[in-house]
Amino acid sequence: MLNLIIFGPPGAGKGTQSEKIIDRYQLVHIATGDLLRAERKAGTVLGNEANEYISRGELVPDSVVVGMVRNFMSSHAGAGGFIFDGFPRTIPQAEALDAMLLEFNTAISAVLGLEVVEDELVKRLMLRGQTSGRVDDQDEDTIRNRFREYQNKTLPLQGYYSEQGKYQSVQGIGEIDEIFTNLCACIDTVKS
Ligand code: ADP
């Protein structure tokens, strides 16, 4: 199985590049942000609870997202591989993911980190907020809070996966296709 994590701060282009990667490598996309928004749209208890965190720019509790990922993976048991987008976002989530993959007799193949400077990210998110309708993209304080959460809780994952020899960093500014080509070069080195 080819299991990838697309890593990077909010607005780095994880969703855009994931779409292209799943097409080329026939992977199943797991985007926890999308799953949480779908729960909210469906009006579930989980969705309403999660929305309170999301609208403040805070991370949703680990137990909630880990449970959601577990359900998703169980319902896609025949998949040839997954790309995780927006997950894991904390060390406990990463540990839970490693344990889950082990249950499925597999592991993470590579972590692809998109490098983009913060000023560019704020610009992209404010622009996205004009069309996406996402409340968390429309307010600069909420956006800054998401970056703080990223710095404090998510960035330590670089060390976690570097220690496993799985972290690869890719420039996230430039033409979408050029970034995709660089990502594919990384993926092809780990693809068996
Ligand atoms: P972005 O990467 O642009 O911040 P996402 O759609 O990935 O967008 O996430 C939106 C929000 O959903 C996050 O700010 C957070 O509140 C919540 N969320 C998504 N994934 C996770 C996760 N793995 N752990 C905790 N919260 C999450």
Side-chain angles (χ1 to χ4, degrees):
M1 268 175 107
L2 179 67
N3 297 305
L4 304 172
I5 294 173
I6 185 106
F7 186 83
K14 301 186 294 292
T16 305
Q17 295 296 337
S18 294
E19 293 303 330
K20 298 175 77 71
I21 293 170
I22 55 176
D23 264 7
R24 173 158 315 177
Y25 297 95
Q26 266 81 56
L27 303 176
V28 173
H29 189 199
I30 305 191
T32 42
D34 290 348
L35 293 177
L36 289 167
R37 282 185 289 274
E39 292 280 345
R40 189 196 50 199
K41 214 169 157 200
T44 66
V45 174
L46 188 156
N48 291 332
E49 274 175 18
N51 194 41
E52 302 203 1
Y53 295 93
I54 295 173
S55 57
R56 290 195 295 261
E58 293 169 12
L59 292 187
V60 173
D62 290 337
S63 57
V64 173
V65 277
V66 167
M68 224 171 46
V69 169
R70 174 181 289 282
N71 288 342
F72 188 95
M73 285 178 69
S74 304
S75 63
H76 291 78
F82 293 97
I83 181 160
F84 298 92
D85 167 2
F87 178 89
R89 261 177 154 101
T90 64
I91 297 276
Q93 289 181 20
E95 289 169 347
L97 178 60
D98 278 347
M100 268 190 280
L101 289 170
L102 204 61
E103 280 175 38
F104 288 87
N105 278 318
T106 182
I108 289 298
S109 315
V111 180
L112 308 164
L114 289 169
E115 301 284 338
V116 181
V117 290
E118 185 164 324
D119 283 352
E120 169 73 15
L121 296 169
V122 177
K123 247 190 281 171
R124 289 186 188 177
L125 290 174
M126 297 293 278
L127 197 67
R128 186 168 81 181
Q130 291 171 16
T131 53
S132 70
R134 277 179 54 170
V135 286
D136 59 342
D137 282 346
Q138 291 176 24
D139 173 61
E140 194 165 338
D141 283 345
T142 309
I143 292 176
R144 297 275 175 206
N145 205 25
R146 283 155 67 198
F147 289 136
R148 262 197 302 278
E149 289 279 75
Y150 177 78
Q151 290 284 340
N152 295 336
K153 299 178 183 166
T154 308
L155 213 48
L157 294 178
Q158 279 186 347
Y160 180 88
Y161 288 111
S162 296
E163 272 170 28
Q164 296 188 7
K166 292 178 179 171
Y167 189 82
Q168 304 198 48
S169 117
V170 173
Q171 172 62 256
I173 296 182
E175 292 294 324
I176 288 174
D177 282 337
E178 187 192 339
I179 298 166
F180 178 59
T181 302
N182 293 334
L183 288 168
C184 290
C186 292
I187 297 169
D188 291 339
T189 62
V190 297
K191 205 168 150 264
S192 46

Coordinates of all heavy atoms in Angstrom, one line a residue, residues 85-115:
D85 N -4.9 14.2 4.6 CA -4.9 15.7 4.3 C -5.5 16.4 5.5 O -6.7 16.3 5.8 CB -5.6 15.9 3.0 CG -6.0 17.3 2.7 OD1 -5.6 18.2 3.5 OD2 -6.6 17.6 1.7
G86 N -4.6 17.1 6.2 CA -5.1 17.8 7.5 C -5.2 16.9 8.7 O -5.7 17.2 9.7
F87 N -4.6 15.7 8.5 CA -4.5 14.7 9.6 C -3.2 13.9 9.4 O -3.0 13.5 8.2 CB -5.7 13.8 9.6 CG -5.7 12.7 10.6 CD1 -6.2 12.9 11.9 CD2 -5.1 11.5 10.4 CE1 -6.2 11.9 12.9 CE2 -5.0 10.5 11.3 CZ -5.6 10.7 12.6
P88 N -2.4 13.6 10.4 CA -2.6 14.0 11.8 C -2.1 15.5 12.0 O -1.3 16.0 11.2 CB -1.6 13.1 12.5 CG -0.6 12.7 11.5 CD -1.3 12.7 10.2
R89 N -2.6 16.1 13.0 CA -2.3 17.5 13.3 C -1.7 17.6 14.7 O -1.4 18.7 15.1 CB -3.6 18.3 13.3 CG -3.8 19.1 12.0 CD -5.1 19.8 12.1 NE -5.2 21.0 11.3 CZ -5.8 21.1 10.2 NH1 -6.4 20.0 9.6 NH2 -5.9 22.3 9.5
T90 N -1.6 16.5 15.4 CA -0.9 16.5 16.8 C -0.1 15.2 16.9 O -0.4 14.3 16.2 CB -2.0 16.6 17.9 OG1 -2.7 15.4 17.9 CG2 -2.9 17.8 17.8
I91 N 0.8 15.2 17.9 CA 1.6 14.0 18.1 C 0.7 12.8 18.5 O 0.8 11.7 17.9 CB 2.7 14.2 19.2 CG1 3.7 15.3 18.6 CG2 3.3 12.9 19.6 CD1 4.8 14.8 17.8
P92 N -0.3 13.0 19.4 CA -1.2 11.9 19.7 C -2.0 11.4 18.5 O -2.2 10.2 18.4 CB -2.2 12.5 20.8 CG -1.4 13.6 21.4 CD -0.5 14.2 20.4
Q93 N -2.3 12.3 17.6 CA -3.0 11.8 16.4 C -2.1 11.0 15.5 O -2.5 10.0 15.0 CB -3.5 13.0 15.5 CG -4.7 13.7 16.2 CD -5.2 14.9 15.3 OE1 -5.0 14.9 14.1 NE2 -6.0 15.8 15.9
A94 N -0.8 11.4 15.5 CA 0.2 10.7 14.7 C 0.4 9.3 15.3 O 0.5 8.3 14.5 CB 1.5 11.4 14.6
E95 N 0.5 9.2 16.6 CA 0.7 7.9 17.2 C -0.5 7.0 17.0 O -0.4 5.8 16.8 CB 0.9 8.1 18.7 CG 2.3 8.8 19.0 CD 2.5 9.2 20.4 OE1 1.5 9.3 21.2 OE2 3.6 9.6 20.8
A96 N -1.7 7.6 17.1 CA -2.9 6.8 16.9 C -3.0 6.3 15.4 O -3.4 5.2 15.2 CB -4.2 7.7 17.2
L97 N -2.5 7.1 14.5 CA -2.5 6.7 13.1 C -1.5 5.6 12.8 O -1.9 4.6 12.2 CB -2.2 7.9 12.2 CG -2.1 7.6 10.7 CD1 -3.4 7.1 10.1 CD2 -1.7 8.9 9.9
D98 N -0.3 5.7 13.4 CA 0.6 4.6 13.3 C 0.0 3.3 13.8 O 0.2 2.2 13.2 CB 1.9 4.9 14.1 CG 2.9 5.8 13.3 OD1 2.6 6.0 12.0 OD2 3.8 6.4 13.8
A99 N -0.7 3.4 14.9 CA -1.2 2.2 15.5 C -2.3 1.6 14.6 O -2.4 0.4 14.4 CB -1.8 2.5 16.9
M100 N -3.2 2.5 14.1 CA -4.3 2.0 13.2 C -3.7 1.4 12.0 O -4.2 0.3 11.6 CB -5.1 3.2 12.8 CG -6.3 3.5 13.7 SD -7.4 4.7 13.0 CE -6.6 6.3 13.3
L101 N -2.7 2.0 11.4 CA -2.2 1.4 10.1 C -1.6 0.0 10.4 O -1.7 -0.9 9.6 CB -1.1 2.4 9.5 CG -1.8 3.6 8.9 CD1 -0.7 4.6 8.5 CD2 -2.6 3.3 7.7
L102 N -0.9 -0.1 11.6 CA -0.4 -1.4 11.9 C -1.4 -2.5 12.0 O -1.2 -3.6 11.6 CB 0.3 -1.2 13.3 CG 1.4 -2.2 13.6 CD1 2.6 -2.1 12.7 CD2 1.9 -1.9 15.1
E103 N -2.6 -2.1 12.5 CA -3.8 -3.0 12.6 C -4.1 -3.5 11.2 O -4.6 -4.6 11.0 CB -5.0 -2.4 13.2 CG -5.0 -2.3 14.7 CD -6.3 -1.5 15.1 OE1 -7.3 -1.6 14.5 OE2 -6.1 -0.7 16.1
F104 N -4.0 -2.6 10.2 CA -4.3 -2.9 8.8 C -3.0 -3.5 8.1 O -3.0 -3.6 6.9 CB -4.7 -1.7 8.0 CG -6.1 -1.2 8.4 CD1 -6.3 -0.3 9.4 CD2 -7.2 -1.6 7.6 CE1 -7.6 0.2 9.7 CE2 -8.5 -1.1 8.0 CZ -8.7 -0.2 9.0
N105 N -2.0 -3.8 8.9 CA -0.8 -4.4 8.3 C 0.0 -3.5 7.3 O 0.5 -3.9 6.4 CB -1.0 -5.7 7.6 CG -1.1 -6.8 8.6 OD1 -0.3 -6.9 9.5 ND2 -2.1 -7.7 8.5
T106 N -0.1 -2.2 7.6 CA 0.6 -1.3 6.7 C 1.2 -0.1 7.5 O 1.2 -0.2 8.7 CB -0.4 -0.8 5.6 OG1 0.3 0.0 4.7 CG2 -1.6 -0.1 6.1
A107 N 1.7 0.9 6.8 CA 2.4 2.0 7.5 C 2.4 3.2 6.6 O 2.0 3.1 5.4 CB 3.8 1.6 7.8
I108 N 2.8 4.4 7.1 CA 3.0 5.6 6.3 C 4.2 5.4 5.4 O 5.2 4.9 5.9 CB 3.2 6.8 7.2 CG1 1.9 7.2 7.9 CG2 3.7 8.0 6.4 CD1 0.7 7.6 7.0
S109 N 4.0 5.7 4.1 CA 5.2 5.6 3.2 C 6.0 6.8 3.2 O 7.2 6.7 3.1 CB 4.6 5.3 1.8 OG 3.6 4.4 1.8
A110 N 5.3 8.0 3.2 CA 6.1 9.3 3.1 C 5.2 10.4 3.6 O 4.0 10.3 3.5 CB 6.6 9.6 1.7
V111 N 5.8 11.4 4.2 CA 5.2 12.6 4.6 C 5.7 13.8 3.7 O 6.9 14.0 3.7 CB 5.4 12.9 6.1 CG1 4.7 14.2 6.5 CG2 5.0 11.8 6.9
L112 N 4.8 14.4 3.0 CA 5.2 15.5 2.0 C 4.8 16.8 2.6 O 3.6 17.1 2.7 CB 4.5 15.2 0.7 CG 4.6 13.8 0.1 CD1 3.6 13.6 -1.0 CD2 6.1 13.6 -0.4
G113 N 5.8 17.6 3.0 CA 5.6 18.9 3.6 C 5.7 20.0 2.6 O 6.7 20.2 2.0
L114 N 4.6 20.8 2.5 CA 4.6 21.9 1.6 C 5.1 23.2 2.3 O 4.5 23.6 3.3 CB 3.2 22.2 1.0 CG 2.6 21.2 0.0 CD1 1.1 21.4 -0.2 CD2 3.4 21.3 -1.3
E115 N 6.1 23.8 1.8 CA 6.7 25.0 2.5 C 6.1 26.3 1.8 O 6.3 26.5 0.6 CB 8.2 25.0 2.2 CG 8.9 23.8 2.7 CD 9.1 23.8 4.2 OE1 9.1 24.8 4.9 OE2 9.3 22.7 4.8

